[in-house]
Amino acid sequence: MIGTLVRLFAFWNEPAAGESEAGPKYDRVEVPMLALGDMFDDAFTAIARDGAGTVEVAVRLQKALRTLTSIGGAEMQAAARRHAQLACKRAENGLDLEEDVAAVQQAAAGSTVRGDKAP
């Protein structure tokens, strides 16, 4: 699910292909603008809350939000950073093992090194 959300936000971040300069096709139809922050709230808050006690979910979420920070504009970067911070706090409260907390913190910091050392 997290990977699908990353792909959707990445797609949303791309300019619309084939958009013409001629104007809208239906000029009397209006819809409210989508707020990127609201979309991030809807997409990631429940995952961060419900997955806070599962290290695999917490780490994957940090990696996904880091990816969105790297591909998005300023608004997407701000939303991704905000959600990464909140998800990290939730994981710190939800995880029992300090090694699991460290793994989430390393993922949040962008480190690819886990606490495991090769023999």
Side-chain angles (χ1 to χ4, degrees):
M1 186 66 211
I2 295 171
T4 299
L5 290 169
V6 170
R7 287 189 298 277
L8 287 171
F9 278 106
F11 179 71
W12 187 10
N13 192 56
E14 294 176 6
E19 204 169 276
S20 69
E21 297 292 327
K25 186 173 180 178
Y26 302 104
D27 61 353
R28 291 186 216 145
V29 176
E30 293 185 27
V31 294
M33 189 76 127
L34 292 174
L36 188 62
D38 290 343
M39 297 298 291
F40 265 73
D41 290 346
D42 294 343
F44 297 114
T45 300
I47 294 171
R49 181 195 62 229
D50 296 344
T54 308
V55 66
E56 296 85 0
V57 173
V59 167
R60 179 66 184 102
L61 184 57
Q62 289 299 324
K63 290 178 180 181
L65 291 166
R66 192 172 66 245
T67 296
L68 291 173
T69 299
S70 70
I71 65 170
E75 187 179 9
M76 186 176 289
Q77 289 174 359
R81 284 188 184 114
R82 177 177 164 265
H83 276 273
Q85 290 172 346
L86 291 171
C88 193
K89 287 180 183 180
R90 286 184 173 104
E92 288 168 353
N93 286 327
L95 294 168
D96 295 325
L97 289 174
E98 64 183 62
E99 291 86 358
D100 289 346
V101 172
V104 174
Q105 291 170 339
Q106 287 174 347
S111 173
T112 57
V113 178
R114 298 254 339 218
D116 308 325
K117 293 186 179 184

